[in-house]
Amino acid sequence: MLRIITQQADVRAELQRICDRTHDEQVHHKEATVREVLQAVKRQGDKAVLHYTAEFDHQTLNPGELRVSGSELDTAYQQVSKDLLEAIRLASRLIEAFHRQRVPKSWVHFGDDDVVLGKRYTPVDRAGLYIPGGRAAYPSTVLMNAIPARVANVPRVVIVTPPGAHKAINPAVLVAAQEAGVQEIYRVGGAQAIAALAYGTETIPKVNVITGPGNIYVTLAKKLVYGTVGIDSLAGPSEVLIIADETANPVHVAADLLAQAEHDPMAAAILLTTDTSLAKNVQVAVERQLIDHPRRIDTEKAIAHYGLIVVVESLEAAAQFSNEFAPEHLELEVEDPWALIQHIRHAGAIFLGHSTPEAVGDYLAGPNHTLPTSGAAHYASALGVETFLKHSSIIQYSETALQKVAGAIDVLATAEGLPSHADSVRRRVQEDE
Amino acid sequence: MLRIITQQADVRAELQRICDRTHDEQVHHKEATVREVLQAVKRQGDKAVLHYTAEFDHQTLNPGELRVSGSELDTAYQQVSKDLLEAIRLASRLIEAFHRQRVPKSWVHFGDDDVVLGKRYTPVDRAGLYIPGGRAAYPSTVLMNAIPARVANVPRVVIVTPPGAHKAINPAVLVAAQEAGVQEIYRVGGAQAIAALAYGTETIPKVNVITGPGNIYVTLAKKLVYGTVGIDSLAGPSEVLIIADETANPVHVAADLLAQAEHDPMAAAILLTTDTSLAKNVQVAVERQLIDHPRRIDTEKAIAHYGLIVVVESLEAAAQFSNEFAPEHLELEVEDPWALIQHIRHAGAIFLGHSTPEAVGDYLAGPNHTLPTSGAAHYASALGVETFLKHSSIIQYSETALQKVAGAIDVLATAEGLPSHADSVRRRVQEDE
């Protein structure tokens, strides 16, 4: 049963408990395993990759089988329905269109005395995308990671994904990869896949940036290799926070809460509402929609542990609680969402109005569905084209310009005790040396 | 003596050795200490902060002394020279002008069927800046961290910096902080400062983003708290790579190499040149400029261990080596730097021509001097206003628009085994429910 509490209860403590749901003490223990895997792959390359694939994924591969072959890529198209292929193509088009908006461009500014300053954007050389396997093998995840990399013009994009039974990869994943322009796919998952991408092996190339969601081992491995490579973020279980007033439809709100809860027993689904009867009606609708839910057990677990309805005094109070929680997904199912959004400061993605269920953003509206979780929206943003770009500062001074600032640099360098800094300028501006 | 090798030697191995100079095995050992400090501060707050300040910085403070007082802030202005104050103000103006260019702006795109998509940029609520103490107490570091935070409109910016002898903080640091608009300064350094910012204590506020350079303990602490808060980067020792042809002045090139080497015995200073006589003349000039260098011992160490001159066959070959190294600072001291920059893919900052020593960028040209080191320029960029901003995706669909994509979402959600995702859309578009 989805609990209802009121603003008089300790809402902050409950929201904090839900936000902190991943910070368990087992993490430190798992880190030892992950460190071992990273070290082994760094030292032994493919041999260690194959060893851990046998141990953790129970698939015995030889090195030649690591890369998904051209014929498997072709065959995948015959294994997905025409409807699914068309849906993947529609999603690809809309995601690409959104990601092509406002891509950072190199620029220079010409100042006085022939000073030129600017930023030059360039893509990383190689990107590695982690795509989970098993129950969570989602073609949408492929599109949301591969399309931004392609829009960034990354010259080489590779995918790693764990093999399922009989070494197979989900054909919808293979089709989505090809539709997004990625042909280089390796059958490896877990921390061993992250290690292979970070250090390189005989078969799998070392990359510069690793993106994509995974289980706790994958996330720990990404954190440990950060600094050797760039990463997108440390993804935790998914979450939605819905702010609704009396204009919201309780059946729709219930479906949106369940659409989050069905992901994972650790998923969080929170409703903040000003309307007591909406609260009760959503509670009833959730129960009803759970009855014949194909993922009932896990979904009920999420609802029981990390589901919550809070009856709040005002929409402003709801916005305040939401800002403290900083949800991955925020739905504003209220009469005037554009008024309410003014009060929102921290959220991964904001879904406005009654016809914008989170699912439309998960699949195809265009914005990225890889979003900061567990409060990270306080400082982080969606994955994007920027994840695969970096910039170099551009500085060009002239003799005249250098002459004008030489005195100031001399004073600063002397104050900082860095004589050669001062010297490198002084020698250039002195008339004879 | 600065070594000269030729392209026939194993240049790649040498550059790799220099790039990897921080990846020492002692790190794992220090991590245990850092974890202990983080846990203690998380649990005991100020008490642990004061304990470690006594232990590591040898300064015994009471909680009331943690924050630098208003009278200390005032007094600092009397302790810096008028010249230094003016230089700090000039640098502030130029740094702010550069950082105000191309600040990301929120945007929405109005599509067909009343679809609205966009990105909304907001600053983090609170930022914490780490400013090193002791020999490396640099007012320029304050400006380069605080000004982007202020341009991002972060509501609360705090500085932490370790106390020196008699609990004092460098007055130039205090003046630079105030010139950049930061009044809230805490007398704490090391891993205990990072812990205080990540978790909050009775006195020091928890922040959302921590930036700024520090020693290995600070860097390890930043890596460990990443995920609880955002961080700018994991800074290593500084480095410069200079590409020079026969038009370069060897005395200037030598001064630029020493300006890097004088930072730290771990600093790297590399010259790639097509001109054998330039190579020799730079070698001689470095020796000569070292003779009465005030930091001779440490500077010589850096030159001996991580200094290198490579005579290359062509500027294109130099660019290739440089791209593999991905230097923090890259100087193009060649006749036509704008032709050569076309071949450059990875560098933190690029200094063009003969009148642009790195020092001009270190202090006041405008671009940030906090740059990716140790090869991180392969995927990372300078600290900037973006470090203190994040964005929320904006999605608004209409009933009509949702109707048009409902079928595709249904197919995708069904393929991914997420029935409530499909349901949340289907229930909204069915005529009666």
Side-chain angles (χ1 to χ4, degrees):
Chain A
M1 176 76 84
L2 184 50
R3 275 183 314 140
I4 301 180
I5 64 175
T6 66
Q7 198 173 330
Q8 278 65 48
D10 201 347
V11 178
R12 284 204 167 79
E14 269 299 285
L15 291 177
Q16 191 64 52
R17 179 186 67 78
I18 295 172
C19 182
D20 289 346
R21 69 198 183 283
T22 51
H23 297 186
D24 67 320
E25 294 299 318
Q26 293 179 0
V27 164
H28 192 57
H29 176 69
K30 287 173 181 156
E31 212 177 277
T33 308
V34 171
R35 275 189 201 278
E36 181 199 306
V37 172
L38 295 180
Q39 282 306 314
V41 173
K42 190 174 182 180
R43 287 187 190 140
Q44 301 168 25
D46 283 347
K47 193 182 154 205
V49 165
L50 297 174
H51 168 79
Y52 290 114
T53 301
E55 183 172 336
F56 298 136
D57 292 324
H58 313 296
Q59 300 299 314
T60 308
L61 308 180
N62 62 53
E65 291 174 310
L66 270 175
R67 181 160 176 183
V68 173
S69 69
S71 66
E72 280 171 278
L73 290 175
D74 292 344
T75 306
Y77 274 93
Q78 292 147 32
Q79 294 171 296
V80 304
S81 69
K82 191 166 164 290
D83 281 355
L84 182 53
L85 178 59
E86 280 180 8
I88 288 171
R89 286 182 171 162
L90 174 65
S92 296
R93 278 200 305 278
L94 294 171
I95 295 165
E96 181 171 340
F98 182 83
H99 284 79
R100 286 207 181 278
Q101 303 242 14
R102 315 292 199 282
V103 174
K105 300 278 177 248
S106 302
W107 57 271
V108 289
H109 173 84
F110 297 91
D112 295 338
D113 301 316
D114 297 323
V115 167
V116 183
L117 301 176
K119 285 189 182 180
R120 177 163 182 250
Y121 286 88
T122 43
V124 299
D125 283 336
R126 291 187 292 275
L129 318 180
Y130 187 92
I131 306 299
R135 194 180 80 174
Y138 298 150
S140 60
T141 309
V142 177
L143 301 181
M144 292 291 185
N145 281 271
I147 291 173
R150 281 296 170 202
V151 171
N153 284 321
V154 177
R156 188 172 179 187
V157 181
V158 311
I159 284 176
V160 291
T161 187
H166 310 295
K167 311 176 187 175
I169 307 293
N170 181 328
V173 163
L174 296 181
V175 167
Q178 294 174 85
E179 290 296 316
V182 181
Q183 311 282 338
E184 189 174 349
I185 302 168
Y186 297 96
R187 220 182 301 270
V188 53
Q192 61 273 25
I194 302 300
L197 293 173
Y199 306 122
T201 72
E202 299 88 329
T203 306
I204 300 167
K206 172 176 166 47
V207 301
N208 309 112
V209 168
I210 301 175
T211 71
N215 63 21
I216 183 69
Y217 294 98
V218 170
T219 303
L220 283 173
K222 282 171 71 180
K223 180 161 177 170
L224 289 171
V225 301
Y226 169 59
T228 301
V229 297
I231 62 171
D232 55 342
S233 61
L234 302 171
S238 199
E239 65 213 14
V240 70
L241 189 149
I242 301 175
I243 300 178
D245 63 14
E246 71 288 352
T247 65
N249 180 323
V251 173
H252 300 173
V253 172
D256 293 357
L257 292 170
L258 288 174
Q260 196 57 238
E262 71 181 349
H263 267 290
D264 181 342
M266 294 284 284
I270 299 163
L271 168 64
L272 308 181
T273 181
T274 46
D275 185 19
T276 311
S277 52
L278 181 81
K280 288 183 185 143
N281 292 335
V282 169
Q283 188 183 46
V284 170
V286 163
E287 285 305 294
R288 199 168 293 156
Q289 292 176 32
L290 268 171
I291 289 168
D292 50 5
H293 196 287
R295 289 184 168 193
R296 177 165 179 166
I297 291 173
D298 278 356
T299 308
E300 269 184 343
K301 260 190 211 162
I303 289 290
H305 294 135
Y306 306 117
L308 187 67
I309 300 177
V310 185
V311 179
V312 291
E313 284 171 2
S314 65
L315 291 177
E316 289 71 22
Q320 179 60 33
F321 285 128
S322 175
N323 285 337
E324 291 171 22
F325 189 80
E328 181 190 15
H329 305 100
L330 172 62
E331 292 189 7
L332 305 181
E333 295 217 41
V334 297
E335 191 172 12
D336 187 352
W338 289 97
L340 184 54
I341 204 174
Q342 302 299 330
H343 298 277
I344 300 301
R345 292 180 54 80
H346 315 298
I350 307 172
F351 301 79
L352 291 94
H354 298 306
S355 298
T356 318
E358 189 203 308
V360 75
D362 288 343
Y363 286 120
L364 51 62
N368 211 283
H369 79 193
T370 311
L371 295 162
T373 57
S374 307
H378 276 118
Y379 59 86
S381 311
L383 184 147
V385 179
E386 294 87 344
T387 310
F388 302 100
L389 295 174
K390 70 275 185 314
H391 60 78
S392 304
S393 306
I394 302 274
I395 307 176
Q396 179 173 276
Y397 258 57
S398 64
E399 273 188 64
T400 312
L402 191 63
Q403 184 86 47
K404 288 188 182 171
V405 296
I409 291 174
D410 204 316
V411 170
L412 287 161
T414 304
E416 295 192 349
L418 295 170
S420 290
H421 280 64
D423 205 37
S424 69
V425 175
R426 204 184 298 121
R427 285 178 189 272
R428 282 174 165 91
V429 300
Q430 278 165 356
E431 272 157 314
D432 56 334
E433 47 199 327
Chain B
M1 177 76 84
L2 184 50
R3 276 184 312 142
I4 301 180
I5 63 176
T6 67
Q7 200 173 328
Q8 278 65 48
D10 201 348
V11 177
R12 283 204 168 78
E14 269 300 285
L15 292 176
Q16 191 64 52
R17 180 186 68 77
I18 295 173
C19 182
D20 290 347
R21 67 198 183 283
T22 51
H23 296 186
D24 66 321
E25 293 299 317
Q26 295 178 358
V27 165
H28 192 59
H29 175 69
K30 288 173 181 155
E31 212 177 277
T33 309
V34 172
R35 275 189 203 276
E36 182 199 305
V37 172
L38 295 179
Q39 282 305 314
V41 173
K42 190 176 181 179
R43 288 189 190 137
Q44 301 168 24
D46 283 348
K47 193 182 154 205
V49 165
L50 297 174
H51 168 79
Y52 290 114
T53 301
E55 185 173 336
F56 298 135
D57 292 324
H58 314 296
Q59 301 297 315
T60 308
L61 308 180
N62 62 54
E65 291 174 308
L66 271 175
R67 182 163 175 180
V68 173
S69 70
S71 66
E72 279 170 278
L73 291 175
D74 292 345
T75 307
Y77 274 92
Q78 293 147 30
Q79 294 171 296
V80 304
S81 69
K82 190 166 164 290
D83 280 355
L84 181 54
L85 178 59
E86 277 179 11
I88 287 172
R89 286 183 172 161
L90 174 65
S92 296
R93 277 199 306 277
L94 294 171
I95 295 165
E96 180 171 339
F98 183 83
H99 284 79
R100 286 206 180 279
Q101 302 242 15
R102 315 294 199 280
V103 174
K105 300 279 179 244
S106 302
W107 57 272
V108 288
H109 174 82
F110 297 93
D112 295 338
D113 301 316
D114 297 323
V115 168
V116 183
L117 301 176
K119 283 188 183 179
R120 178 165 182 248
Y121 286 87
T122 43
V124 300
D125 284 336
R126 291 186 292 276
L129 318 180
Y130 188 92
I131 305 298
R135 195 179 80 173
Y138 298 150
S140 61
T141 310
V142 177
L143 301 181
M144 292 291 185
N145 281 269
I147 290 172
R150 282 296 169 199
V151 171
N153 283 321
V154 177
R156 189 172 178 186
V157 181
V158 311
I159 284 175
V160 291
T161 187
H166 311 296
K167 311 175 187 177
I169 307 293
N170 181 328
V173 163
L174 296 180
V175 166
Q178 295 175 85
E179 290 297 313
V182 182
Q183 310 282 338
E184 189 174 349
I185 301 167
Y186 297 96
R187 218 182 301 271
V188 55
Q192 60 272 25
I194 302 301
L197 293 173
Y199 306 121
T201 73
E202 299 89 328
T203 305
I204 300 167
K206 171 176 166 44
V207 301
N208 308 113
V209 168
I210 301 174
T211 71
N215 62 21
I216 183 69
Y217 294 98
V218 169
T219 303
L220 283 172
K222 283 172 72 181
K223 179 161 178 172
L224 288 172
V225 302
Y226 169 58
T228 301
V229 296
I231 62 171
D232 55 341
S233 62
L234 302 172
S238 199
E239 65 213 15
V240 70
L241 188 149
I242 301 175
I243 300 179
D245 63 14
E246 72 288 352
T247 65
N249 179 323
V251 173
H252 299 172
V253 171
D256 293 357
L257 291 170
L258 288 174
Q260 196 56 240
E262 71 181 349
H263 267 292
D264 183 342
M266 294 284 284
I270 299 163
L271 168 65
L272 308 181
T273 181
T274 46
D275 185 19
T276 311
S277 53
L278 182 80
K280 287 182 187 146
N281 292 335
V282 169
Q283 188 183 48
V284 170
V286 163
E287 284 305 294
R288 198 168 294 157
Q289 292 176 33
L290 267 171
I291 290 169
D292 50 4
H293 196 287
R295 290 183 167 196
R296 177 167 180 165
I297 292 173
D298 279 355
T299 308
E300 270 186 340
K301 262 190 209 162
I303 289 290
H305 295 135
Y306 306 116
L308 187 68
I309 300 176
V310 184
V311 178
V312 292
E313 285 172 0
S314 66
L315 291 177
E316 289 70 21
Q320 179 61 33
F321 286 129
S322 176
N323 285 337
E324 291 172 21
F325 190 80
E328 181 190 13
H329 306 99
L330 172 63
E331 292 189 5
L332 305 182
E333 296 215 40
V334 297
E335 190 171 14
D336 187 354
W338 291 96
L340 185 54
I341 203 173
Q342 302 299 330
H343 298 277
I344 300 301
R345 292 181 51 80
H346 315 297
I350 306 172
F351 301 80
L352 290 93
H354 298 306
S355 298
T356 318
E358 188 203 309
V360 76
D362 288 344
Y363 286 120
L364 53 60
N368 210 283
H369 79 194
T370 312
L371 294 163
T373 57
S374 306
H378 276 117
Y379 58 86
S381 312
L383 184 146
V385 179
E386 294 85 344
T387 309
F388 302 100
L389 295 174
K390 69 272 183 321
H391 60 77
S392 304
S393 305
I394 303 274
I395 308 176
Q396 179 172 276
Y397 259 56
S398 64
E399 272 187 67
T400 312
L402 191 62
Q403 186 86 47
K404 289 187 182 171
V405 296
I409 291 175
D410 203 316
V411 169
L412 286 161
T414 305
E416 295 191 351
L418 296 170
S420 291
H421 280 63
D423 205 38
S424 69
V425 174
R426 203 184 298 119
R427 285 178 189 271
R428 281 174 164 93
V429 300
Q430 277 165 356
E431 272 156 315
D432 55 338
E433 51 200 326

